[in-house]
């Protein structure tokens, strides 16, 4: 319901078209959204982003990013805006900004950086997008996106509605900036970083590392930095050309930065769920279920989504704390689906857990009717809801697979699955004699991570780090 309301507000905002002065260019442009509306929109979308992707659980790291951001804000073209900063709990490498001054970096992008000035450069680039109102302009190009899943067009609308990808905040993240926007944000980023006393040259080293690593967003619902901020060699050259001699005198602060990210979670965090074979385990919420071998699974903080290989069947699992009676809970959830036609319902027990299941057809004007089998399972303080979706014509083909998937839902008790811990970033002080590769080898770092870790350290694998230099490894 919240999501439907959000899109309604957005479309009513669109009606208030007017001409406004762009804060950066000083030129008049057709602006669909006033600054007040822009801030309101950002605030609404911020809640969606936080609930969908989760904020990283370290107040000191969040404070550190905010402190660097606050150093830059007074030097922007819109210093009166209240800027908000957050570290998102995902291994995806990205940084992005929402209208109104909401700026995010992922823990995945933080492990890539090697100095406070690199962080400042990325924040300054995002501040550039906010100040030039690029994201506001992008709103007029709003499209309904299909998340990285292979969900066929017949299912996409209803799928998007249930899974929340139809909400504005989430869609904004999938829109690509244009080359001109990127060029402008880079130039503003250099300007803001320099005025904030950070060496803007660090933007070059960071962009080069990103380029070497390629797009790391694969397999996650959040797109990566390179897919939303197209990075070209020309961009890097432009930034390089805009540097001046005195920039080198400015702050870089590698040690302060590295110490602030020491111990940060690296890669996927198994405590938030992981797949082994064709079983999904969630140690945090203590459950597991199995899914058909050729289906794709995507684990998000707010839900798990699955799709068949042909994209004609999908299942969404959502979890909510609720003390409501299962049948009442089921009716309130069904009421959120528009044009639903009740078919049947039953109470059942799944591996000893009380459950309630109902079947609906969902009518859509001039489109195939969808069928949804919704199963709510009570486990402890939580209700787990599986939405199994297909067209009503295809439903019988997938019904057995839906039933097997939901029927395999079980309490997770096995210690070996419950006690999985994530890998974390550690720092090693170099002795000035060993190469990066020797340091990796001695630390027990797996060989398949060497190349990536070298890039993450901004070095070549055969280079010798200086004495006392901090080297990143994972453990
Ligand atoms: Zn950008």
């Amino acid at each position: 319901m919240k999501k439907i309301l959000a899109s309604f507000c957005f479309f009513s905002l669109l009606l208030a078209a007017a001409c406004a002065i762009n804060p950066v260019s000083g030129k008049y442009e057709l602006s669909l959204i006033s600054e007040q509306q822009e801030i309101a929109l950002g605030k609404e979308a911020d809640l969606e982003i936080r609930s969908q992707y989760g904020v990283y659980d370290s107040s000191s790291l969040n404070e550190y990013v905010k402190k660097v951001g606050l150093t830059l804000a007074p030097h922007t073209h819109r210093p009166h805006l209240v800027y908000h900063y957050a570290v998102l709990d995902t291994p995806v490498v990205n940084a992005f900004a929402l209208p109104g001054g909401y700026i995010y970096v992922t823990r995945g992008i933080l492990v890539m950086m090697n100095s406070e000035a690199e962080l400042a450069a990325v924040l300054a680039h995002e501040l550039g997008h906010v100040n030039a109102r690029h994201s506001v302009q992008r709103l007029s190009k709003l499209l309904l996106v299909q998340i990285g899943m292979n969900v066929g067009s017949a299912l996409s609308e209803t799928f998007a509605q249930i899974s929340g990808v139809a909400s504005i905040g989430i869609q904004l993240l999938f829109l690509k900036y244009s080359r001109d926007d990127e060029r402008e944000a880079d130039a503003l980023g250099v300007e803001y970083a320099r005025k904030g006393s950070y060496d803007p040259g660090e933007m070059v080293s960071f962009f080069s590392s990103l380029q070497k690593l390629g797009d790391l967003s694969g397999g996650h619902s959040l797109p990566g930095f390179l897919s939303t901020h197209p990075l070209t060699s020309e961009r890097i050259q432009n930034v390089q050309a805009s540097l001046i001699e005195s920039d080198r005198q400015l702050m870089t602060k590698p040690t302060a930065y590295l110490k602030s990210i020491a111990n940060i979670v690296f890669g996927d965090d198994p405590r938030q769920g992981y797949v082994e074979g064709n079983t999904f385990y969630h140690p945090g919420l203590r459950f597991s279920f199995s899914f058909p071998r050729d289906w794709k699974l995507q684990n998000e903080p707010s839900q798990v989504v699955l799709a068949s290989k042909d994209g004609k069947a999908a299942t969404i699992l959502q979890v909510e704390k609720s003390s409501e009676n299962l049948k009442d809970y089921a009716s309130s959830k069904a009421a959120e689906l528009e044009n639903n036609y009740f078919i049947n319902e039953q109470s059942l027990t799944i591996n000893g857990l009380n459950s309630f299941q109902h079947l609906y057809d969902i009518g859509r004007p001039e489109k195939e009717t969808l069928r949804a089998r919704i199963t709510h399972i009570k486990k402890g303080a939580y209700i787990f809801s599986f939405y199994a979706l297909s067209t009503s014509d295809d439903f019988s083909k997938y019904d057995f697979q839906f039933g097997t998937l939901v029927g395999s839902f079980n309490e997770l008790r096995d210690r070996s699955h419950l006690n999985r811990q994530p890998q974390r970033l550690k720092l090693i002080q170099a002795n000035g004699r060993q190469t990066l590769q020797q340091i990796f080898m001695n630390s027990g770092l797996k060989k398949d991570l060497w190349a990536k870790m070298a890039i993450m350290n901004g070095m070549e694998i055969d280079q010798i780090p200086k004495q006392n230099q901090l080297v990143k490894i994972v453990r």
Side-chain angles (χ1 to χ4, degrees):
M1 280 306 278
K2 182 180 134 258
K3 271 131 199 170
I4 296 163
L5 269 176
S7 15
F8 173 74
C9 294
F10 167 65
F11 286 113
S12 54
L13 286 180
L14 274 188
L15 300 176
C19 262
I21 295 177
N22 184 291
V24 170
S25 66
K27 288 181 186 153
Y28 277 98
E29 63 180 14
L30 178 70
S31 175
L32 300 170
I33 296 169
S34 74
E35 187 165 85
Q36 282 316 307
Q37 289 168 322
E38 183 192 339
I39 293 167
L41 194 62
K43 198 172 177 182
E44 171 101 43
D46 175 61
L47 291 174
E48 289 165 8
I49 307 285
R50 283 166 183 267
S51 78
Q52 192 97 350
Y53 298 104
V55 174
Y56 186 65
D57 185 21
S58 161
S59 52
S60 59
L61 189 57
N62 277 284
E63 280 301 315
Y64 177 72
V65 170
K66 183 177 166 188
K67 189 196 86 187
V68 176
L70 290 178
T71 310
L72 302 168
H75 308 293
T76 61
H77 290 80
R78 302 169 81 188
H80 57 283
L81 281 184
V82 180
Y83 294 97
H84 305 264
Y85 302 88
V87 178
L88 295 185
D89 191 6
T90 160
V92 174
V93 179
N94 206 351
F96 51 88
L98 289 178
Y102 292 83
I103 314 247
Y104 311 83
V105 286
T106 61
R107 63 171 166 83
I109 203 166
L110 291 179
V111 299
M112 291 284 303
M113 298 173 179
N114 286 296
S115 71
E116 193 170 299
E118 286 189 4
L119 172 62
V122 168
L123 295 177
H125 173 97
E126 296 306 326
L127 285 166
H129 282 307
V130 174
N131 278 268
R133 304 189 93 210
H134 293 154
S135 34
V136 174
Q137 291 164 13
R138 279 160 95 211
L139 275 175
S140 54
K141 297 168 194 159
L142 201 67
L143 300 161
L144 187 71
V145 292
Q146 286 181 30
I147 54 172
M149 298 294 293
N150 176 30
V151 176
S153 55
L155 301 185
S156 61
E157 258 174 60
T158 305
F159 180 87
Q161 193 202 331
I162 297 172
S163 66
V165 289
S167 64
I168 321 157
I170 308 301
Q171 287 189 68
L172 262 177
L173 306 185
F174 284 82
L175 297 178
K176 227 186 223 181
Y177 288 111
S178 70
R179 281 176 180 218
D180 287 342
D181 285 354
E182 286 307 319
R183 204 172 297 132
E184 190 172 27
D186 286 343
L188 291 169
V190 167
E191 181 187 332
Y192 300 160
R194 185 181 285 143
K195 286 182 174 162
S197 302
Y198 287 106
D199 177 1
E202 295 283 285
M203 190 185 278
V204 175
S205 55
F206 185 64
F207 281 175
S208 308
S209 302
L210 276 187
Q211 218 178 19
K212 276 189 199 160
L213 215 52
D215 202 339
L216 289 178
S217 61
H220 289 274
S221 62
L222 186 71
F225 190 83
L226 299 191
S227 58
T228 51
H229 302 64
L231 183 60
T232 57
S233 306
E234 187 211 341
R235 264 182 72 190
I236 298 178
Q237 283 161 15
N238 286 343
V239 173
Q240 184 80 57
S242 70
L243 301 177
I244 50 176
E245 192 55 37
S246 56
D247 287 340
R248 292 181 172 209
Q249 316 293 323
L250 299 173
M251 297 191 285
T252 54
K253 296 179 96 176
T255 308
Y257 179 78
L258 291 171
K259 287 188 170 164
S260 76
I261 60 160
N263 222 33
I264 193 172
V265 170
F266 175 81
D268 287 315
D269 186 343
R271 295 169 304 177
Q272 297 163 352
Y274 61 96
V275 172
E276 225 167 60
N278 62 324
T279 301
F280 178 79
Y281 298 94
H282 199 300
L285 292 167
R286 303 175 78 99
F287 71 87
S288 68
F289 67 84
S290 299
F291 55 96
R293 217 162 268 283
D294 58 349
W295 281 33
K296 256 179 83 177
L297 179 145
Q298 190 166 277
N299 182 23
E300 298 165 12
S302 61
Q303 62 195 351
V304 181
V305 294
L306 300 110
S308 64
K309 204 176 170 190
D310 60 12
K312 291 182 173 175
T315 296
I316 300 167
L317 168 63
Q318 292 174 345
V319 191
E320 206 171 36
K321 221 172 204 167
S322 173
S323 53
E324 223 178 321
N325 142 327
L326 269 180
K327 201 175 169 180
D328 293 344
Y329 185 82
S331 324
S332 68
K333 286 286 157 187
E336 289 177 15
L337 295 171
E338 287 170 63
N339 302 321
N340 68 63
Y341 301 96
F342 172 80
I343 301 175
N344 64 43
E345 62 181 26
Q346 58 173 328
S347 291
L348 70 168
T349 306
I350 295 174
N351 296 313
L353 300 164
N354 285 335
S355 319
F356 189 83
Q357 191 172 72
H358 44 182
L359 188 65
Y360 282 92
D361 268 348
I362 301 168
R364 299 170 309 158
E366 292 166 41
K367 282 198 178 140
E368 284 173 278
T369 299
L370 289 190
R371 186 159 291 181
R373 186 187 294 288
I374 311 169
T375 312
H376 302 285
I377 306 172
K378 179 87 182 149
K379 188 176 99 59
Y382 294 91
I383 295 179
F384 292 76
S385 304
F386 282 95
Y387 293 81
L389 286 175
S390 182
T391 60
S392 46
D393 288 346
D394 284 339
F395 199 85
S396 60
K397 267 196 270 176
Y398 297 101
D399 204 14
F400 180 75
Q401 289 183 313
F402 289 146
T404 312
L405 191 160
V406 174
S408 69
F409 183 89
N410 208 342
E411 175 84 35
L412 183 60
R413 293 191 182 87
D414 167 17
R415 293 225 164 272
S416 72
H417 285 120
L418 283 173
N419 293 339
R420 291 291 162 94
Q421 292 298 319
Q423 287 190 300
R424 288 178 185 273
L425 195 85
K426 302 286 175 194
L427 300 174
I428 288 183
Q429 207 161 34
N431 61 14
R433 293 186 303 277
Q434 291 176 317
T435 64
L436 205 53
Q437 179 166 332
Q438 285 167 326
I439 295 173
F440 290 164
M441 200 153 49
N442 293 343
S443 76
L445 185 73
K446 279 193 202 143
K447 205 173 171 183
D448 55 359
L449 276 176
W450 290 1
K452 183 175 175 182
M453 287 307 293
I455 298 170
M456 277 172 53
N457 279 286
M459 295 177 78
E460 301 295 332
I461 189 93
D462 55 1
Q463 243 177 295
I464 300 175
K466 290 190 208 94
Q467 191 173 7
N468 297 332
Q469 186 180 328
L470 294 174
V471 172
K472 292 180 203 161
I473 58 149
V474 292
R475 208 172 261 160

